Amino acid sequence: MRKIIRGGTVVSASDEFRADVLIVDERISCVGTDIDAEGADVVDAGGAYVIPGGIDTHTHFEHIVASRATRTADDFASGSVAAAVGGTTSVVDFVRAPVGTGIEQAFLERRERAESAMAVDFGLHPMVPSWAGEDDSFDQLSRLAERDGAASWKFFMAYAGSMVDDGVLLRGFRRCAELGVLPMVHAENGHMVADATERLVASGRTAVEDHVHAHPADSEAEAVDRAIRLARQAGTPLFIVHVSAAEAIEVLRDHQRAGASVVAETCPQYLVAASDAPEVRGALAAGYVCSPPIRERANQEPLWRAVQDGTISTIGTDHAAFTLGEQPDLPPQKGAGGGDFTRTPNGVPGVEERLMVMHHHGVVARGMRMTRFVELTSAAPARTFGLTGKGAIVPGSDADIVIWDPDATRVLRAATLHSRSDYCVYEGLEVTGVPRVVLGRGTTLAVDGEPTGALPGRGRYLRRSRRAPHTTSTRSGT
């Protein structure tokens, strides 16, 4: 296979320049001008940017919740097709081990299912089981890191059935330091969340609109602070997922200024949507239920400043798509909660919308440079999570490329998106800047918002590289 992309402006995380891109056998062969491309198929990028395919390192396709009561509406096929259409060519999803199953077995079984259905390339983050301090889970996780390239592990600091205590965090962080694995934390203080929830239930405030009050901003700030201090004690870098609160941003920034090796992600829903918007009532409020929650509008500006100044390093989605209405082929979805936030499954869709929302609200509305856009949505995720050959348009890299039209517009509507979710957090938003053509390893995956051909099953599992092991620190904090 030989293709040449002509007439576009190549954008990296540091530069923009006019160049053509030659693709040979799934990889980028040459980037430059006056390329000899005899016999190559020509892809016209006139008037457009040529950017590396988006990388979303936080998705939950075919995700079974901890209680085993339900699963997300998107399976590996539908979720990854939505990703591809939106310009995301690689994702890193998660593995949860059910009680009675080892994390190693759960990982291998989930990888096999994903390989048969994924439309885009993918990696997997294993979730550290709540019982990891009581069995050989860390030995199993170590084998996955060394043999299968599972180079990041997720730790929950909240929620019954998922939460690990500080002893397990510290032990796990030390193992990560020894192996060069990147620990990730869902940073909410579980005891504070449980206490707030209990008080709301006792007072009869269980409407979905009250969900945000069950997750105090202080619970996020406290957990961010504690996780970073434990990581420093263990001598490991740390990744904080889905930061949502202004208070947590300030804690994160203070630690970074003090020299802590910590990076963080936020998601478009926290930057754009708001729980106190007047339209967020009833069914749509149920659609907004996710954890940490979509917070009040006052959090948006501090989050945008953190995105612009580098306090936030990556943009993921935490895509966990449910439907508002019940579907005959799906287990209970949002509507089954009956308007009670304690019975409404957590999660929002967004994997298809991510690049368009970030370009519209970041580049167009706020003047973000395209280089920063590429850094946040592709280059930094690849670098942070060891995705070798991804996130850059350079010779030798995989030909994961998006021809991005910065002037074209599209109205985001659930009815025309490709997730199985029946609602969109950004419903009716007219975005400026859309993917014109999406290539995954040189194969055309989507054109003008529609998939091309049968995509499920073409994605490959990505073994990710680990960092050099870190020297254990004895510092007790910053």
Side-chain angles (χ1 to χ4, degrees):
M1 175 182 66
R2 287 170 62 85
K3 290 182 180 179
I4 187 163
I5 301 171
R6 290 201 184 276
T9 299
V10 174
V11 184
S12 71
S14 60
D15 200 9
E16 299 181 22
F17 52 95
R18 167 67 183 85
D20 298 334
V21 180
L22 179 65
I23 299 167
V24 178
D25 296 334
E26 299 192 343
R27 295 186 181 274
I28 295 169
S29 174
C30 184
V31 179
T33 57
D34 301 321
I35 297 174
D36 180 9
E38 184 178 354
D41 295 331
V42 177
V43 181
D44 179 20
Y49 291 117
V50 180
I51 64 175
I55 299 172
D56 188 346
T57 58
H58 196 155
T59 63
H60 296 280
F61 301 153
E62 207 166 303
H63 174 72
I64 300 174
V65 302
S67 68
R68 314 293 291 176
T70 189
R71 78 160 178 84
T72 53
D74 276 327
D75 57 19
F76 289 124
S78 64
S80 60
V81 167
V85 171
T88 290
T89 54
S90 298
V91 302
V92 189
D93 209 275
F94 292 83
V95 179
R96 183 194 300 278
V99 175
T101 301
I103 185 60
E104 185 174 18
Q105 177 184 342
F107 183 100
L108 296 174
E109 290 174 354
R110 187 161 171 82
R111 173 183 163 181
E112 183 177 4
R113 291 198 306 276
E115 284 179 318
S116 69
M118 278 287 209
V120 299
D121 292 349
F122 71 97
L124 293 170
H125 310 287
M127 297 177 177
V128 176
S130 60
W131 57 86
E134 303 168 7
D135 66 2
D136 68 342
S137 288
F138 283 123
D139 292 335
Q140 295 181 48
L141 287 161
S142 298
R143 288 194 292 272
L144 290 172
E146 294 170 333
R147 183 189 65 218
D148 299 277
S152 50
W153 303 344
K154 184 177 182 180
F155 297 76
F156 276 90
M157 299 177 74
Y159 313 127
S162 299
M163 183 169 67
V164 298
D165 64 26
D166 285 2
V168 173
L169 280 173
L170 190 57
R171 178 179 169 188
F173 287 178
R174 288 198 187 281
R175 185 68 69 96
C176 287
E178 293 166 2
L179 292 169
V181 165
L182 180 65
M184 315 163 66
V185 293
H186 176 127
E188 291 183 279
N189 182 307
H191 300 292
M192 293 173 72
V193 170
D195 176 70
T197 302
E198 289 168 7
R199 288 187 289 111
L200 287 167
V201 170
S203 64
R205 296 177 59 193
T206 60
V208 284
E209 291 86 351
D210 291 313
H211 172 258
V212 64
H213 304 299
H215 298 261
D218 280 347
S219 75
E220 189 175 337
E222 189 282 332
V224 168
D225 180 67
R226 179 161 43 97
I228 295 171
R229 291 179 184 277
L230 290 170
R232 286 175 66 92
Q233 174 78 5
T236 181
L238 182 67
F239 188 86
I240 311 288
V241 301
H242 51 40
V243 176
S244 69
E247 292 87 340
I249 287 292
E250 289 309 309
V251 172
L252 176 63
R253 186 177 282 120
D254 287 346
H255 278 288
Q256 290 175 338
R257 286 171 175 165
S261 181
V262 56
V263 292
E265 153 202 274
T266 194
C267 308
Q269 59 266 27
Y270 301 127
L271 293 163
V272 174
S275 63
D276 53 358
E279 68 273 14
V280 184
R281 298 289 182 269
L284 184 57
Y288 271 40
V289 170
C290 61
S291 298
I294 296 173
R295 299 189 185 276
E296 300 84 357
R297 192 175 301 279
N299 291 273
Q300 291 177 356
E301 284 305 316
L303 285 169
W304 275 111
R305 286 195 296 272
V307 167
Q308 292 279 44
D309 70 19
T311 304
I312 294 291
S313 299
T314 71
I315 303 294
T317 60
D318 197 9
H319 177 97
F322 292 92
T323 61
L324 296 178
E326 298 306 295
Q327 303 296 323
D329 63 333
L330 292 174
Q333 297 288 294
K334 295 274 191 182
D340 181 336
F341 79 80
T342 67
R343 299 191 294 116
T344 300
N346 276 247
V348 298
V351 72
E352 184 172 348
E353 303 97 297
R354 178 181 70 124
L355 294 181
M356 291 180 283
V357 170
M358 289 303 300
H359 184 272
H360 179 81
H361 281 281
V363 177
V364 177
R366 294 172 180 271
M368 178 188 293
R369 292 179 59 86
M370 277 298 293
T371 51
R372 180 64 178 155
F373 173 77
V374 167
E375 168 74 2
L376 287 162
T377 60
S378 185
R383 184 174 63 249
T384 302
F385 288 97
L387 292 161
T388 304
K390 303 291 188 182
I393 298 180
V394 295
S397 290
D398 287 348
D400 295 344
I401 297 172
V402 178
I403 299 174
W404 188 268
D405 189 330
D407 301 315
T409 61
R410 187 175 300 167
V411 178
L412 300 181
R413 299 193 186 282
T416 56
L417 295 170
H418 296 80
S419 165
R420 284 204 61 190
S421 182
D422 58 0
Y423 73 99
C424 171
V425 172
Y426 319 100
E427 184 73 21
L429 174 66
E430 184 177 37
V431 294
T432 299
V434 302
R436 184 190 297 173
V437 179
V438 181
L439 305 178
R441 285 183 278 106
T443 296
T444 302
L445 306 184
V447 176
D448 293 330
E450 292 299 329
T452 58
L455 301 183
R458 67 157 299 279
R460 291 178 183 166
Y461 173 73
L462 301 170
R463 287 180 172 83
R464 295 177 288 122
S465 59
R466 290 178 284 148
R467 300 164 181 261
H470 287 72
T471 302
T472 299
S473 170
T474 58
R475 290 178 291 188
S476 59
T478 56

mmCIF file of all heavy atoms in Angstrom, residues 40-64:
data_model
loop_
_atom_site.group_PDB
_atom_site.id
_atom_site.type_symbol
_atom_site.label_atom_id
_atom_site.label_comp_id
_atom_site.label_asym_id
_atom_site.label_seq_id
_atom_site.Cartn_x
_atom_site.Cartn_y
_atom_site.Cartn_z
ATOM 1 N N ALA A 40 1.520 6.019 -6.048
ATOM 2 C CA ALA A 40 0.791 6.132 -4.785
ATOM 3 C C ALA A 40 -0.586 6.742 -5.005
ATOM 4 O O ALA A 40 -0.770 7.606 -5.865
ATOM 5 C CB ALA A 40 1.584 6.985 -3.804
ATOM 6 N N ASP A 41 -1.546 6.299 -4.219
ATOM 7 C CA ASP A 41 -2.859 6.935 -4.220
ATOM 8 C C ASP A 41 -2.739 8.292 -3.548
ATOM 9 O O ASP A 41 -2.106 8.429 -2.501
ATOM 10 C CB ASP A 41 -3.872 6.078 -3.450
ATOM 11 C CG ASP A 41 -4.146 4.744 -4.114
ATOM 12 O OD1 ASP A 41 -4.036 4.668 -5.356
ATOM 13 O OD2 ASP A 41 -4.456 3.777 -3.390
ATOM 14 N N VAL A 42 -3.365 9.303 -4.136
ATOM 15 C CA VAL A 42 -3.270 10.665 -3.617
ATOM 16 C C VAL A 42 -4.482 10.972 -2.748
ATOM 17 O O VAL A 42 -5.628 10.763 -3.152
ATOM 18 C CB VAL A 42 -3.162 11.683 -4.766
ATOM 19 C CG1 VAL A 42 -3.140 13.113 -4.215
ATOM 20 C CG2 VAL A 42 -1.906 11.413 -5.594
ATOM 21 N N VAL A 43 -4.215 11.476 -1.544
ATOM 22 C CA VAL A 43 -5.257 11.950 -0.634
ATOM 23 C C VAL A 43 -5.106 13.463 -0.546
ATOM 24 O O VAL A 43 -4.058 13.968 -0.144
ATOM 25 C CB VAL A 43 -5.122 11.314 0.764
ATOM 26 C CG1 VAL A 43 -6.239 11.805 1.676
ATOM 27 C CG2 VAL A 43 -5.138 9.791 0.666
ATOM 28 N N ASP A 44 -6.155 14.177 -0.920
ATOM 29 C CA ASP A 44 -6.099 15.633 -0.964
ATOM 30 C C ASP A 44 -6.343 16.220 0.426
ATOM 31 O O ASP A 44 -7.376 15.990 1.041
ATOM 32 C CB ASP A 44 -7.155 16.149 -1.940
ATOM 33 C CG ASP A 44 -7.173 17.675 -2.030
ATOM 34 O OD1 ASP A 44 -6.165 18.307 -1.654
ATOM 35 O OD2 ASP A 44 -8.198 18.219 -2.484
ATOM 36 N N ALA A 45 -5.365 16.993 0.914
ATOM 37 C CA ALA A 45 -5.501 17.675 2.208
ATOM 38 C C ALA A 45 -5.485 19.187 2.031
ATOM 39 O O ALA A 45 -5.189 19.927 2.974
ATOM 40 C CB ALA A 45 -4.386 17.247 3.155
ATOM 41 N N GLY A 46 -5.809 19.661 0.840
ATOM 42 C CA GLY A 46 -5.767 21.084 0.567
ATOM 43 C C GLY A 46 -6.617 21.885 1.535
ATOM 44 O O GLY A 46 -7.781 21.557 1.782
ATOM 45 N N GLY A 47 -6.029 22.934 2.114
ATOM 46 C CA GLY A 47 -6.740 23.790 3.049
ATOM 47 C C GLY A 47 -6.960 23.197 4.417
ATOM 48 O O GLY A 47 -7.676 23.776 5.238
ATOM 49 N N ALA A 48 -6.348 22.052 4.701
ATOM 50 C CA ALA A 48 -6.590 21.358 5.966
ATOM 51 C C ALA A 48 -5.289 21.118 6.715
ATOM 52 O O ALA A 48 -4.189 21.219 6.173
ATOM 53 C CB ALA A 48 -7.293 20.024 5.706
ATOM 54 N N TYR A 49 -5.436 20.800 7.980
ATOM 55 C CA TYR A 49 -4.316 20.357 8.792
ATOM 56 C C TYR A 49 -4.160 18.845 8.659
ATOM 57 O O TYR A 49 -5.143 18.112 8.472
ATOM 58 C CB TYR A 49 -4.540 20.687 10.267
ATOM 59 C CG TYR A 49 -4.502 22.159 10.606
ATOM 60 C CD1 TYR A 49 -5.621 22.801 11.116
ATOM 61 C CD2 TYR A 49 -3.338 22.903 10.442
ATOM 62 C CE1 TYR A 49 -5.596 24.145 11.452
ATOM 63 C CE2 TYR A 49 -3.295 24.245 10.759
ATOM 64 C CZ TYR A 49 -4.423 24.864 11.273
ATOM 65 O OH TYR A 49 -4.384 26.192 11.589
ATOM 66 N N VAL A 50 -2.937 18.381 8.779
ATOM 67 C CA VAL A 50 -2.638 16.954 8.817
ATOM 68 C C VAL A 50 -2.070 16.678 10.205
ATOM 69 O O VAL A 50 -0.962 17.120 10.538
ATOM 70 C CB VAL A 50 -1.631 16.561 7.712
ATOM 71 C CG1 VAL A 50 -1.327 15.072 7.773
ATOM 72 C CG2 VAL A 50 -2.175 16.953 6.341
ATOM 73 N N ILE A 51 -2.853 15.988 11.031
ATOM 74 C CA ILE A 51 -2.491 15.806 12.435
ATOM 75 C C ILE A 51 -2.439 14.324 12.776
ATOM 76 O O ILE A 51 -3.065 13.502 12.097
ATOM 77 C CB ILE A 51 -3.485 16.535 13.370
ATOM 78 C CG1 ILE A 51 -4.891 15.938 13.255
ATOM 79 C CG2 ILE A 51 -3.508 18.037 13.067
ATOM 80 C CD1 ILE A 51 -5.908 16.528 14.232
ATOM 81 N N PRO A 52 -1.684 13.963 13.815
ATOM 82 C CA PRO A 52 -1.683 12.557 14.229
ATOM 83 C C PRO A 52 -3.046 12.149 14.769
ATOM 84 O O PRO A 52 -3.772 12.963 15.359
ATOM 85 C CB PRO A 52 -0.608 12.499 15.320
ATOM 86 C CG PRO A 52 -0.449 13.906 15.787
ATOM 87 C CD PRO A 52 -0.777 14.785 14.626
ATOM 88 N N GLY A 53 -3.412 10.904 14.537
ATOM 89 C CA GLY A 53 -4.684 10.397 15.039
ATOM 90 C C GLY A 53 -4.814 10.612 16.533
ATOM 91 O O GLY A 53 -3.849 10.507 17.286
ATOM 92 N N GLY A 54 -6.029 10.935 16.947
ATOM 93 C CA GLY A 54 -6.271 11.158 18.357
ATOM 94 C C GLY A 54 -6.054 9.893 19.179
ATOM 95 O O GLY A 54 -6.240 8.771 18.696
ATOM 96 N N ILE A 55 -5.640 10.089 20.424
ATOM 97 C CA ILE A 55 -5.437 8.979 21.355
ATOM 98 C C ILE A 55 -6.228 9.275 22.621
ATOM 99 O O ILE A 55 -5.991 10.284 23.288
ATOM 100 C CB ILE A 55 -3.947 8.781 21.685
ATOM 101 C CG1 ILE A 55 -3.159 8.462 20.413
ATOM 102 C CG2 ILE A 55 -3.759 7.676 22.722
ATOM 103 C CD1 ILE A 55 -1.657 8.444 20.607
ATOM 104 N N ASP A 56 -7.177 8.422 22.926
ATOM 105 C CA ASP A 56 -8.003 8.569 24.127
ATOM 106 C C ASP A 56 -7.595 7.466 25.094
ATOM 107 O O ASP A 56 -7.884 6.287 24.873
ATOM 108 C CB ASP A 56 -9.481 8.458 23.766
ATOM 109 C CG ASP A 56 -10.411 8.802 24.917
ATOM 110 O OD1 ASP A 56 -9.931 8.873 26.067
ATOM 111 O OD2 ASP A 56 -11.615 8.989 24.675
ATOM 112 N N THR A 57 -6.925 7.849 26.163
ATOM 113 C CA THR A 57 -6.417 6.843 27.106
ATOM 114 C C THR A 57 -7.385 6.585 28.258
ATOM 115 O O THR A 57 -6.987 6.059 29.295
ATOM 116 C CB THR A 57 -5.044 7.268 27.661
ATOM 117 O OG1 THR A 57 -5.161 8.548 28.295
ATOM 118 C CG2 THR A 57 -4.005 7.330 26.570
ATOM 119 N N HIS A 58 -8.676 6.925 28.045
ATOM 120 C CA HIS A 58 -9.649 6.707 29.113
ATOM 121 C C HIS A 58 -11.019 6.402 28.520
ATOM 122 O O HIS A 58 -11.885 7.262 28.411
ATOM 123 C CB HIS A 58 -9.734 7.934 30.020
ATOM 124 C CG HIS A 58 -10.391 7.672 31.329
ATOM 125 N ND1 HIS A 58 -10.142 8.424 32.449
ATOM 126 C CD2 HIS A 58 -11.304 6.735 31.718
ATOM 127 C CE1 HIS A 58 -10.857 7.965 33.461
ATOM 128 N NE2 HIS A 58 -11.584 6.945 33.028
ATOM 129 N N THR A 59 -11.218 5.147 28.116
ATOM 130 C CA THR A 59 -12.517 4.709 27.618
ATOM 131 C C THR A 59 -12.986 3.483 28.387
ATOM 132 O O THR A 59 -12.188 2.746 28.965
ATOM 133 C CB THR A 59 -12.480 4.375 26.119
ATOM 134 O OG1 THR A 59 -11.584 3.264 25.901
ATOM 135 C CG2 THR A 59 -12.023 5.567 25.291
ATOM 136 N N HIS A 60 -14.308 3.289 28.371
ATOM 137 C CA HIS A 60 -14.926 2.120 29.008
ATOM 138 C C HIS A 60 -15.924 1.507 28.034
ATOM 139 O O HIS A 60 -17.122 1.736 28.130
ATOM 140 C CB HIS A 60 -15.639 2.522 30.299
ATOM 141 C CG HIS A 60 -14.755 3.061 31.366
ATOM 142 N ND1 HIS A 60 -13.987 2.259 32.198
ATOM 143 C CD2 HIS A 60 -14.503 4.340 31.751
ATOM 144 C CE1 HIS A 60 -13.313 3.019 33.043
ATOM 145 N NE2 HIS A 60 -13.604 4.284 32.795
ATOM 146 N N PHE A 61 -15.408 0.735 27.085
ATOM 147 C CA PHE A 61 -16.276 0.014 26.161
ATOM 148 C C PHE A 61 -16.626 -1.336 26.789
ATOM 149 O O PHE A 61 -15.793 -1.971 27.453
ATOM 150 C CB PHE A 61 -15.578 -0.242 24.824
ATOM 151 C CG PHE A 61 -15.114 1.002 24.102
ATOM 152 C CD1 PHE A 61 -14.028 0.950 23.236
ATOM 153 C CD2 PHE A 61 -15.752 2.211 24.271
ATOM 154 C CE1 PHE A 61 -13.601 2.075 22.553
ATOM 155 C CE2 PHE A 61 -15.331 3.350 23.593
ATOM 156 C CZ PHE A 61 -14.251 3.286 22.735
ATOM 157 N N GLU A 62 -17.871 -1.763 26.557
ATOM 158 C CA GLU A 62 -18.296 -3.084 27.048
ATOM 159 C C GLU A 62 -17.921 -3.234 28.528
ATOM 160 O O GLU A 62 -17.414 -4.272 28.955
ATOM 161 C CB GLU A 62 -17.651 -4.175 26.200
ATOM 162 C CG GLU A 62 -18.428 -5.474 26.133
ATOM 163 C CD GLU A 62 -17.948 -6.398 25.030
ATOM 164 O OE1 GLU A 62 -17.946 -5.961 23.851
ATOM 165 O OE2 GLU A 62 -17.571 -7.543 25.340
ATOM 166 N N HIS A 63 -18.200 -2.190 29.289
ATOM 167 C CA HIS A 63 -17.749 -2.106 30.674
ATOM 168 C C HIS A 63 -18.843 -2.578 31.626
ATOM 169 O O HIS A 63 -19.955 -2.031 31.639
ATOM 170 C CB HIS A 63 -17.370 -0.660 31.009
ATOM 171 C CG HIS A 63 -17.039 -0.436 32.444
ATOM 172 N ND1 HIS A 63 -15.879 -0.896 33.010
ATOM 173 C CD2 HIS A 63 -17.720 0.201 33.438
ATOM 174 C CE1 HIS A 63 -15.839 -0.551 34.291
ATOM 175 N NE2 HIS A 63 -16.954 0.104 34.569
ATOM 176 N N ILE A 64 -18.545 -3.576 32.423
ATOM 177 C CA ILE A 64 -19.466 -4.079 33.444
ATOM 178 C C ILE A 64 -19.165 -3.348 34.745
ATOM 179 O O ILE A 64 -18.027 -3.316 35.198
ATOM 180 C CB ILE A 64 -19.316 -5.597 33.629
ATOM 181 C CG1 ILE A 64 -19.627 -6.312 32.302
ATOM 182 C CG2 ILE A 64 -20.235 -6.102 34.731
ATOM 183 C CD1 ILE A 64 -19.362 -7.801 32.332
#
